[in-house]
Amino acid sequence: GGLTVLKELIASIPHASYVYFGDTARFPYGGKSQDTIIRYSLENSAFLIDQGVELIAVACHTATSLALTTLQNTLKIPVVGVIEPAVEKMVATTKNKQLGVIGTRATIASGMYQKELLKQLPDATITACACPLFVSLIEEQITSPEILRLVIRETLEPLKNKNIDTLLLGCTHYPLLADFIQQEMGSGVQLVNPAKTFTEKLALLQLQKSPQSDSQFFVSDDPERFKAIGEAFLGIPMNSVQ
């Protein structure tokens, strides 16, 4: 999922040098407890710091929802999560204050988006819907339009007839299903892509130029499978995955 964010970052901030870590051995995070997600996030961050990074982008809604505060209070480098920029975009986009949020079970159960949205729009109506099958569809490379439409239609049923005008794709995998989600929700619903809002936020930080602009890829398991899926996500070849 974080690769949708990385793709936007490379396009928007090409002068930076990126180190990507995908926790493929312990994925998915969406059904795990907060204590476990915090532990994983601290371990992942320690690895990235060992690689010499100067800023960590938490390109995962579940980890942002449940571990961001701990990371920011623990680490000595800046840590940025995906939630705040997406909330700002939703508030700026909605016309009728009828909002929808979709995400993993953990993200929806955390209530993080609902809380942050209501802070800025206390009179908004928010309908949240967990979509546990969406990530599996993408990770297993299910491309049949019939299957995708059926699963999306069944999953998004709780959002229909709610007069929603703005829908947050509250998982960084979901932009890959955006066309099908848009078809199901209709043209009157504006989708908010967290990868784009997150990248816009980081671009404002005016990161220093790196002497060597490149991307390094690390995973905790099965680099060959990750490479095959990752190249489909990014749309560019990955020279190596370690």
Side-chain angles (χ1 to χ4, degrees), residues 41-53:
S41 298
L42 288 168
E43 291 168 357
N44 298 344
S45 299
F47 172 80
L48 290 170
I49 289 170
D50 286 345
Q51 308 309 308
V53 303

Side-chain angles (χ1 to χ4, degrees), residues 19-161:
V19 180
Y20 176 94
F21 175 71
D23 196 2
T24 48
R26 303 186 294 194
F27 165 90
Y29 281 17
K32 293 180 169 61
S33 70
Q34 181 169 6
D35 287 347
T36 295
I37 290 165
I38 289 174
R39 176 164 58 86
Y40 288 178
S41 298
L42 288 168
E43 291 168 357
N44 298 344
S45 299
F47 172 80
L48 290 170
I49 289 170
D50 286 345
Q51 308 309 308
V53 303
E54 297 173 300
L55 178 147
I56 291 178
V58 185
C60 169
H61 290 259
T62 302
T64 299
S65 297
L66 301 178
L68 181 65
T69 300
T70 300
L71 294 176
Q72 291 175 331
N73 291 338
T74 304
L75 305 181
K76 295 180 180 180
I77 63 173
V79 185
V80 184
V82 289
I83 287 179
E84 183 183 349
V87 167
E88 291 171 355
K89 181 69 172 180
M90 291 187 76
V91 170
T93 300
T94 185
K95 299 293 192 297
N96 67 4
K97 300 182 183 180
Q98 303 291 317
L99 307 174
V101 178
I102 58 175
T104 67
R105 283 197 179 100
T107 296
I108 299 302
S110 76
M112 183 66 73
Y113 269 112
Q114 298 92 307
K115 293 171 193 170
E116 293 302 316
L117 285 165
L118 288 172
K119 282 182 186 177
Q120 298 194 37
L121 287 177
D123 55 343
T125 299
I126 303 168
T127 304
C129 179
C131 304
L133 293 179
F134 284 10
V135 170
S136 297
L137 290 173
I138 294 163
E139 288 288 328
E140 298 303 325
Q141 298 178 281
I142 304 298
T143 58
S144 165
E146 293 80 7
I147 293 174
L148 294 176
R149 287 194 187 96
L150 179 61
V151 173
I152 288 170
R153 182 173 298 121
E154 289 291 320
T155 304
L156 298 184
E157 180 63 30
L159 298 177
K160 304 305 279 292
N161 304 317

Side-chain angles (χ1 to χ4, degrees), residues 15-17 207-214:
H15 59 260
S17 180
L207 303 176
Q208 293 184 1
K209 289 189 176 181
S210 170
Q212 182 180 0
S213 300
D214 60 4

Side-chain angles (χ1 to χ4, degrees), residues 214-225:
D214 60 4
S215 300
Q216 300 177 65
F217 299 93
F218 297 91
V219 293
S220 50
D221 189 38
D222 203 353
E224 290 305 316
R225 181 171 184 271

